[in-house]
Amino acid sequence: MGDLKGVVFPPCAALCALAFLYKLRDLRQHRRDPALLALITAFLLKGVSFALSVPAVSASVDAHSGVPNLGALGIHLLGGVSSSAALLVAITYWVHPAQQARPRARAWLTAFGACAVAMFALWLAAEPHGHVRSADYILQNVKNPVVAGYTLLYATAFGAGMIQIALLCRRYAKAAGRQWLRWGMATTQLGALCCIVYCANRAWAVIAIRFGLNPLQWEALTPVANGIGILCLASGLTMPSWGPQLSELRRRTGNFVAYQRLHPLWRDLYAAIPDIALSPPASARLDRFTPRDINYRLYRLVIEIQDGLLVLRPYMDPEAAEAAARSARSAGLAGGRLDAAVRAAQVRAALRARRDNLPTTGGAVSPAPAAEPGTVSEEDEDGDYLGEVSRLVGVAQAYAALGRTKRSTT
C-alpha cells in the first residue's frame, strides 16, 4: 500500500502547489479578500499534507525530528482539519454576504480549532505508548482506545467539513449565474464527496478492529479517494478563474477555423468585387493563418462576404439553383447541406455571369442581418451572428468542394 501512496500522493502535492501558485497571483489585486486568503491557505496546507503523506517523506520527518509519528499528526491536522476549515471559510464568503459570512467563518474556525487542540492532546496521550514509529499510524494503533478516539475525532471533523462544503455547493450551484461557477461548485461537491468516503473508511477502521476485521483490506481507498478528491477540489475551486479563459480560447479557436474555411469564398468574391474589403488584404500569404485579432477579422470577413453576395444578387440564376438542387438531392444531400450546396452553385454561376456581364432577372441570395460593428461578444454568438457564420461556413465548404470537382474533371 505504501507503493500506491508513493505513486498517488506526489502528484496530489504538485496539484495543490499549482493551485496555490495560480491563486497567489490574484493576491496583488485582492489582498484583503478573506475568501481568497482562505483558499490560498487551504491549498498550502493540503499540499504540505500530501507531501507528508508520501511514506518516505513522513519517515524522514520523524527521523530528523526524533518524534515518532509526527508526520502522521501533520497529515491529519493540516490536510484534514485545518484545510477543511480554510475551504469552508472560503466557500462561506463566496455564498454569503460579508456581514453574514464573518460570524459563520469565526464559528467554523473556533470549532475546527477546538478539534485540532483535542486531536493534539490525544496524540500526545497516545505517544508514550511504545514510542515506536508506525508506517500506518491509525491502522496499526487503532486498538489503543486513545488512538481510536483520535481517529474518530479526526474523521468526524474532516468529514463534517466536507459535508458542509458539499451541501453549500449543492445549494448554491443552482442559483449561480455564471456557467463556470456552477460547474466549479458541482466539481467541488464531487471532490468533497470523495473525501467523505475517505473519512468514512477511517471511521470504519475503529469499528472493524473491534470485530476482528483487518482495516488494511480497505486501505486502497485512502489514495484513491484522496487523489480523486483533491483533483476535483482543486479544479472546482479554481474553475471560475480559468474556465472563462478556456471558453475564450475555444471561441477563438473556433473563429480561427471558421475564418480559414471562409477565406477561399471571400478570396474569389474579393477578386471579382474588390470594393467589399474595408482595407486591402495583407500581402503576406501566411498572414491569414495568424490568430491575431481573429474575432474581429472573422467578423469583417463575414460582413464582406455578405456585401459580395449582395452585389451578386442581380446575377443569381434560378435555373442554376434548380439544377444544383436536383444534383444535390440525387447525391443524397438534405437540409442544411442541400441549401449550402445550392447557394454555393448559385455563387459560382453568379461570379461567372458577372465576369461575362450577364445579369439575370432571377432570385437572390439574401444575406442574414449582421451583428453590430465591433468585436464579437458572447451575446452576439448566441444570436444571429453565430448562425450566420455557421451558414456561410457551410456555403464556403460546398463552394470549395465544387471547385475541387471542377478541377478533377478538367
Side-chain angles (χ1 to χ4, degrees), residues 280-291:
S283 58
R285 291 185 176 182
L286 295 179
D287 186 71
R288 60 172 278 202
F289 296 105
T290 62

Side-chain angles (χ1 to χ4, degrees), residues 161-184:
M162 292 297 106
I163 289 173
Q164 287 297 322
I165 290 173
L167 291 175
L168 286 174
C169 289
R170 180 182 179 182
R171 184 183 308 165
Y172 291 97
K174 299 177 181 179
R178 292 180 295 161
Q179 182 183 60
W180 282 106
L181 181 57
R182 291 197 303 273
W183 290 352

Side-chain angles (χ1 to χ4, degrees), residues 3 5 33 56 69 84 89 125 142 152 157 164 184 200 216 290 337 343 350 385 395:
D3 293 340
K5 292 180 179 179
D33 184 354
N69 304 313
S84 296
V89 168
V142 73
L152 289 176
Q164 287 297 322
L216 282 171
T290 62
R337 295 180 62 190
R343 291 175 181 271
Y385 178 76
V395 174

